[in-house]
Amino acid sequence: MSILPSADREYLDTKQIRFEEVTDGTTSAIILKSWKLPDGQFDAGAADILVVLPPGYPDVAPDMFHLLPWVKLAKAGRYPNAADQPVSFVGKSWQRWSRHNAEWRPGVDGIWTMIKRIEHALEIAA
C-alpha cells in the first residue's frame, strides 16, 4: 500500500533512506528506519523516526515526529525539552518530539522539508 506521493517516495529512494509506510486505524505515517542520530548528542546512535501524515498531506504539514527507542541527551542525562511524552502507534510507545511547523508551503514542501526539520531539531536538542 502506498501512502506517500510519488515525489516523496522518489526523494527517499534517491537519498537511499530506508522507510516503511504504515497505517494504524485511520492514521497514516512513515517510519524512517534506523536513522543515524548526531554523534555524541544522545544516549543512542540511531532510532526509528515516526512521521504521522495528516489528512490532506502534502498540502497539510506533518506536525511532530516521534522516536523509538526513546533517547536522552547524552551529557545532561534527561529527555530533550518537549520530548518526554508517549504516543502509541502500531502497538509501540513512541517518544513524541513536540515541534510545530507554521511555515509549510502547500504545493512546494514534501517529506524532504520534514526531514530537514527533524535533522535540525535533533542537532539543536537541549
Side-chain angles (χ1 to χ4, degrees):
M1 172 179 155
S2 186
I3 295 168
L4 289 172
S6 59
D8 284 2
R9 236 176 292 105
E10 289 170 22
Y11 174 83
L12 294 168
D13 289 341
T14 300
K15 297 292 185 183
Q16 298 181 337
I17 297 171
R18 290 181 37 231
F19 69 98
E20 178 182 358
E21 297 174 272
V22 295
T23 58
D24 189 352
T26 60
T27 303
S28 297
I30 66 163
I31 299 172
L32 305 172
K33 304 298 282 182
S34 300
W35 191 267
K36 186 179 177 333
L37 299 175
D39 288 337
Q41 179 83 337
F42 302 103
D43 60 357
D48 286 350
I49 300 176
L50 170 69
V51 178
V52 174
L53 302 174
Y57 176 85
D59 290 329
V60 177
D63 192 27
M64 299 178 255
F65 63 95
H66 312 79
L67 266 58
L68 194 63
W70 286 51
V71 298
K72 290 184 177 180
L73 297 168
K75 292 180 180 154
R78 63 170 176 77
Y79 295 121
N81 294 335
D84 63 350
Q85 296 300 309
V87 168
S88 180
F89 193 82
V90 294
K92 298 176 182 175
S93 179
W94 296 78
Q95 178 184 16
R96 182 185 76 189
W97 284 61
S98 183
R99 307 293 188 271
H100 306 287
N101 180 12
E103 299 174 10
W104 191 264
R105 301 163 298 171
V108 175
D109 289 324
I111 200 63
W112 49 88
T113 310
M114 188 63 185
I115 287 173
K116 293 299 178 202
R117 289 184 58 236
I118 291 167
E119 289 174 332
H120 180 72
L122 294 170
E123 285 289 337
I124 66 164

